[in-house]
Amino acid sequence: MRAFVEVDLKAIAKNIKWIKRGTSADILAVVKADAYGHGLVPVAKTAVKAGASWLGVALLEEALLLRKAKIKAPIIAWLTPPGEDFVAAIKNDIQLSVPSLTHLKLIEAAGKKAKRTPKVHIEVDTGMTRGGLLKEWDEFLKVIAKSNVEVVGYWSHFARADEPGQKANATQEKIFNSKLLELMNTGVIPKIVHFANSAATLTIPAVHSQMVRVGIAMYGLSPDVNHMGSSKDLGLTPAMKVKAIVHLVKEVSKGSPVGYGATEKTKSDTKLAIIAMGYSDGIPRQSSNAAGVYIGGRRAPIIGRVSMDQFVVDLGADSKVQAGDIATVIGGKGYSVDEWARAAGTINYEIVTRIASRVPRIYA
Ligand SMILES: *Cc1c(COP(=O)(O)O)cnc(C)c1O
């Protein structure tokens, strides 16, 4: 195996328990995108065991994989465009989000076909201007009470919860509450109101309601290192490490151009290691020259451009590293997910979710 992702399931359990201590709301563990790259089924099982009572995914196929793995917890899938197999969703007891009148009609029709009442969560757009009912709201209020669905939940999503104190959060909260009143005035009383993502779970207790939807924090990462501090500041333990085997070590002379475009030259006689991972594995090409690996007791920075399947690091002339040794590419004593994110000009969410499926996940 030339590279692998080491997932610390104990860290995930610990993070969930830590988050649970800060709220009386139920926890919905967000396991979309292969559990943020950590592995859908093992993470979902761990989350449920650690005290999450719900699971949330974006796609219907993700929800169906959870059912196939015999996971019994209630599941919501919230990104299901027209054309998705709503009948299969209902038959597998997967709860669906309703972000439009079109979705309501399609889900009702599928319920009739499946001979079951679909369980749904009404999604309102409270200012993010992405998912959820907006201008259709008044029309929706006229039909929802007599529709053939069971309204289990009412929900929305924050655009700027990772900026504590940001006025937009209070504005979204106000809209959320006033629309909930309007809904209840039609006689529809959702059992579960849910609004908070990780950032709001950690910083806005007033919006926890009955349930919080926790993603990034359960993986031990900060929703926003600039506004909210690091994992450590938040009491979270990162769960992902990425490791790779050194393919080759070679001695080179000062001034040797390294990699495509010869963007860098060695500054002295040194040893280089060729690491068997590249941008097709999810190592960001943009991070060329700004991140690296931990190996032989020290950090070795990337030199030159990241290639598709490999990149080169500068070990230093005195290094004892040999081909076959294991380099820590992300996490542990190496460059953290947040350091890789900074190097690539992106966020920690993208670093963990972009690790390709061809890199095997190993569980500890
Ligand atoms: C991804 C997602 C979350 C989790 O967000 P985090 O910032 O990772 O906690 C919560 N709710 C919805 C609807 C999402 O799509």
Side-chain angles (χ1 to χ4, degrees), residues 5 7 9 12 16 29-48 54-71 75-78 94 218-219 240 352 357 361-363:
V5 176
V7 180
L9 293 173
I12 291 176
I16 288 179
V30 180
V31 292
K32 64 191 178 190
D34 201 27
Y36 290 41
H38 295 67
L40 177 68
V41 170
V43 169
K45 286 184 173 167
T46 300
V48 169
W54 285 69
L55 295 169
V57 289
L59 313 184
L60 182 51
E61 53 261 48
E62 295 170 331
L64 292 170
L65 283 171
L66 291 170
R67 286 287 180 251
K68 223 171 154 187
K70 305 262 185 292
I71 292 168
I75 300 171
I76 312 175
W78 52 69
I94 289 154
M218 75 181 255
Y219 303 100
M240 181 188 282
V352 289
S357 60
R361 270 65 175 169
I362 288 169
Y363 297 92

Side-chain angles (χ1 to χ4, degrees), residues 62-197:
E62 295 170 331
L64 292 170
L65 283 171
L66 291 170
R67 286 287 180 251
K68 223 171 154 187
K70 305 262 185 292
I71 292 168
K72 301 277 191 310
I75 300 171
I76 312 175
W78 52 69
L79 201 75
T80 55
E84 288 294 285
D85 191 348
F86 294 116
V87 174
I90 295 160
K91 283 186 172 163
N92 283 281
D93 202 21
I94 289 154
Q95 308 193 13
L96 296 162
S97 175
V98 174
S100 76
L101 279 165
T102 302
H103 284 80
L104 178 64
K105 282 183 195 129
L106 289 169
I107 292 166
E108 274 187 295
K112 215 174 266 174
K113 257 196 192 156
K115 300 196 170 60
R116 281 205 220 166
T117 308
K119 294 178 183 169
V120 302
H121 295 248
I122 297 170
E123 180 186 6
V124 285
D125 184 346
T126 53
M128 183 162 180
T129 320
R130 199 183 63 178
L133 289 139
L134 189 61
K135 297 252 167 118
E136 286 184 330
W137 181 243
D138 290 340
E139 215 181 325
F140 185 82
L141 287 177
K142 287 181 201 146
V143 301
I144 186 62
K146 40 187 194 301
S147 68
N148 291 312
V149 296
E150 180 190 342
V151 176
V152 174
Y154 167 83
W155 74 285
S156 189
H157 196 54
F158 279 108
R160 305 184 69 174
D162 55 346
E163 301 168 64
Q166 164 57 239
K167 274 203 311 254
N169 297 326
T171 307
Q172 279 196 262
E173 189 186 343
K174 218 187 259 169
I175 295 168
F176 187 73
N177 290 334
S178 77
K179 285 187 167 167
L180 175 59
L181 271 183
E182 288 171 14
L183 176 68
M184 298 207 300
N185 282 337
T186 71
V188 174
I189 316 288
K191 288 186 203 78
I192 303 168
V193 171
H194 50 106
F195 200 178
N197 55 5

